[in-house]
């Protein structure tokens, strides 16, 4: 019996179909009781009432394939994971999928149209995760349709002004935002974040202008535990963290903030920081000495930063060794050009690697 024969024989009784090989799901099978369909191959022919009991749907779309409006017939669907390429467009009927909790678009991006106007009952009230969406038109109407969203991953080539509505997503805990092209500074400065945020990843291809102003907003978030920021410009060439900022932050990563020359900490700030990663922060020459006084700090990594910054950090480590005998945190310095002086700083608590 072939695999296809077996599938045709058992399809009417199957509750799950999970295939991680090269087998393509044959169409026109009787999958009326199927709850889980997961395949690495094309599944476009199954977005109809024949699989109305599906709870979990994961698979690949062929290039150029668009999700059919019939997807709204999968009214029991809780999880939708689509592997595609390029840009696809979801039908407006996706807003009728009241049970959908997690929607992820992987490798490609999905354009999600605005919900139908005049139909306030058309919403995804159970949606908690939305990832891989392009130019998501966040506005007052859209915010009402996703009241329970917790995880959001969005990419913008346009419509950056929509980011001012982020603060209205009162249950949002994780945000990943990529801005691919330069936008008006006014719109970038209008970004506001909900106080519910715990994880934040920001990437701007053309660099965030006035980064210190954006970081001042982020620093006031009471629950934020993880912050990753890629590319930014400090107009004042300095970053000052004042008392009370970043009260819950545990992980901080800044990469390609090339014009930050000064960094100061004042008062009681960053009280829970555990991991600090800096990459290509080449203009910063000295670490704030207060870093060594953070009791929760476990590790610091420097990637392709200035040698003088590594030297200043080594002094902080030595001060902690004198006070405590063994510093509470460890350091990793990585550079493409490791000088003899830099290599001489290496100890068990202060690694120096050539990359």
């Amino acid at each position: 019996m072939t695999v296809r024969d077996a599938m045709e024989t058992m399809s009417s009784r199957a509750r799950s179909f999970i295939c991680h090989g090269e087998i393509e799901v044959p169409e026109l099978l009787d999958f009326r009781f199927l709850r889980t369909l997961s395949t690495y191959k094309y599944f476009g022919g199954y977005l109809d009432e024949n699989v109305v009991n599906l709870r979990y749907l994961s698979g690949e779309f062929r290039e150029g394939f668009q999700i059919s409006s019939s997807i709204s017939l999968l009214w029991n669907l809780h999880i939708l994971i689509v592997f595609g390429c390029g840009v696809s467009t979801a039908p407006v009927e996706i807003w009728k999928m009241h049970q959908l909790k997690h929607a992820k678009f992987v490798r490609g991006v999905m354009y999600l149209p605005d919900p139908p106007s005049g139909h306030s009952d058309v919403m995804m009230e159970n949606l908690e995760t939305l990832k891989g969406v392009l130019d998501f038109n966040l506005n007052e109407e859209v915010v009402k349709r996703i009241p329970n969203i917790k995880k959001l991953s969005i990419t913008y080539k346009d419509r950056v002004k929509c980011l001012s509505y982020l603060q209205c997503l009162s249950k949002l805990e994780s945000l990943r935002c990529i801005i691919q092209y330069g936008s008006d500074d006014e719109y970038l400065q209008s970004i506001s974040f909900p106080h519910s945020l715990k994880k934040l990843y920001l990437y701007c291809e053309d660099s965030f202008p006035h980064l210190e102003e954006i970081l001042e907003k982020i620093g006031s978030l009471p629950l934020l535990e993880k912050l990753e920021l890629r590319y930014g410009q400090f107009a004042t060439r300095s970053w000052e963290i004042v008392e009370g900022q970043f009260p819950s932050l545990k992980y901080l990563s800044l990469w390609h903030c090339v014009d930050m020359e000064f960094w100061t900490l004042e008062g009681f700030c960053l009280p829970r920081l555990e991991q600090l990663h800096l990459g290509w922060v080449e203009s910063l020459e000295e670490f704030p000495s207060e870093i060594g006084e953070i009791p929760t700090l476990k590790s610091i990594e420097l990637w392709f930063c200035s040698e003088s910054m590594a030297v200043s950090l080594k002094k902080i480590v030595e001060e902690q060794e004198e006070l405590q005998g063994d510093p509470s945190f460890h350091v990793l310095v990585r550079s493409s050009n490791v000088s003899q002086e830099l290599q001489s700083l290496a100890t068990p608590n202060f690694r120096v690697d050539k990359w």
Side-chain angles (χ1 to χ4, degrees):
M1 178 182 290
T2 66
V3 173
R4 183 183 178 92
D5 291 338
M7 291 170 62
E8 291 177 346
T9 301
M10 297 182 293
S11 63
S12 62
R13 303 188 303 274
R15 297 296 186 271
S16 298
F17 181 88
I18 301 173
C19 178
H20 297 293
E22 292 299 317
I23 300 173
E24 186 167 314
V25 182
E27 299 183 16
L28 304 179
L29 293 184
D30 182 4
F31 274 157
R32 72 186 71 178
F33 297 116
L34 200 66
R35 299 289 187 92
T36 299
L37 174 57
S38 178
T39 172
Y40 284 159
K41 303 298 287 184
Y42 174 64
F43 64 75
Y46 277 98
L47 302 182
D48 58 33
E49 65 275 7
N50 291 327
V51 285
V52 70
N53 289 304
L54 269 184
R55 303 291 195 275
Y56 180 102
L57 177 60
S58 171
E60 184 178 3
F61 276 2
R62 289 172 178 160
E63 186 174 359
F65 178 82
Q66 302 296 329
I67 297 179
S68 168
S69 60
S70 62
I71 193 172
S72 63
L73 297 174
L74 307 182
W75 57 273
N76 280 310
L77 196 66
H78 289 178
I79 299 174
L80 172 64
I81 302 175
V82 176
F83 296 88
C85 57
V87 179
S88 301
T89 301
V92 70
E93 286 80 6
I94 198 171
W95 290 98
K96 298 179 180 179
M97 302 181 71
H98 301 284
Q99 298 300 321
L100 193 62
K101 290 185 177 180
H102 307 284
K104 302 178 182 180
F105 306 103
V106 185
R107 292 203 298 263
V109 287
M110 183 69 65
Y111 177 76
L112 191 65
D114 293 346
S117 59
H119 298 274
S120 58
D121 59 328
V122 178
M123 62 189 301
M124 291 186 279
E125 63 269 28
N126 288 307
L127 190 67
E128 296 181 1
T129 303
L130 182 59
K131 294 186 175 182
V133 178
L134 176 67
D135 287 339
F136 191 34
N137 190 21
L138 272 175
N139 54 43
E140 185 176 355
E141 193 63 30
V142 168
V143 167
K144 292 179 181 178
R145 310 296 181 101
I146 50 172
N148 295 304
I149 194 78
K150 293 182 179 179
K151 297 179 181 179
L152 181 61
S153 177
I154 47 181
T155 298
Y156 280 98
K157 296 181 179 179
D158 195 3
R159 289 180 167 179
V160 178
K161 61 183 178 181
C162 300
L163 293 175
S164 61
Y165 284 91
L166 283 171
Q167 62 180 332
C168 301
L169 300 175
S170 60
K171 296 185 179 180
L172 190 65
E173 296 180 359
S174 176
L175 172 64
R176 181 181 178 89
C177 181
I178 298 174
I179 301 174
Q180 291 189 337
Y181 300 104
S183 299
D184 193 301
D185 289 2
E186 180 183 351
Y187 292 147
L188 291 176
Q189 294 309 309
S190 70
I191 298 177
S192 297
F193 306 98
H195 282 187
S196 54
L197 267 187
K198 295 181 179 179
K199 297 180 180 179
L200 177 59
Y201 176 94
L202 291 177
Y203 175 106
C204 185
E205 196 168 88
D206 286 343
S207 293
F208 286 98
H210 305 285
L211 188 55
E212 57 269 51
E213 296 180 15
I214 297 176
L215 284 168
E216 185 175 356
K217 296 179 183 179
I218 297 173
S220 66
L221 299 175
L223 304 178
L224 189 67
E225 296 180 355
K226 185 174 183 178
L227 172 61
E228 295 186 58
L229 197 145
R230 301 291 184 266
Y231 297 96
Q233 299 175 351
F234 288 82
T236 62
R237 309 194 73 81
S238 65
W239 183 22
E240 179 182 351
I241 303 180
V242 300
E243 185 165 358
Q245 287 190 320
F246 300 101
S248 300
L249 197 66
K250 296 180 180 179
Y251 179 94
L252 173 60
S253 177
L254 294 180
W255 287 55
H256 296 285
C257 300
V258 295
D259 58 353
M260 184 173 74
E261 296 180 359
F262 307 99
W263 185 16
T264 60
L265 307 181
E266 294 187 2
F268 189 66
C269 59
L270 296 169
R272 301 181 64 188
L273 187 66
E274 296 179 359
Q275 299 179 64
L276 173 62
H277 293 177
L278 299 180
W280 286 271
V281 186
E282 297 167 330
S283 297
L284 185 63
E285 296 187 356
E286 187 174 1
F287 247 81
S289 60
E290 293 82 2
I291 283 288
E293 300 172 6
I294 299 176
T296 54
L297 192 60
K298 296 179 180 178
S299 66
I300 297 178
E301 290 190 13
L302 301 183
W303 289 63
F304 301 95
C305 295
S306 68
E307 186 170 312
S308 61
M309 182 158 58
V311 172
S312 71
L313 182 55
K314 175 64 174 180
K315 292 179 180 178
I316 295 174
V317 172
E318 291 174 344
E319 290 174 359
Q320 293 301 307
E321 288 176 339
E322 292 179 1
L323 292 172
Q324 303 179 22
D326 188 24
S328 58
F329 62 93
H330 301 273
V331 175
L332 171 61
V333 177
R334 280 189 168 145
S335 176
S336 59
N337 183 22
V338 177
S339 68
Q340 185 175 356
E341 180 183 0
L342 185 58
Q343 188 63 54
S344 68
L345 302 178
T347 64
N349 289 324
F350 196 96
R351 288 177 52 199
V352 178
D353 289 347
K354 185 174 182 179
W355 191 262

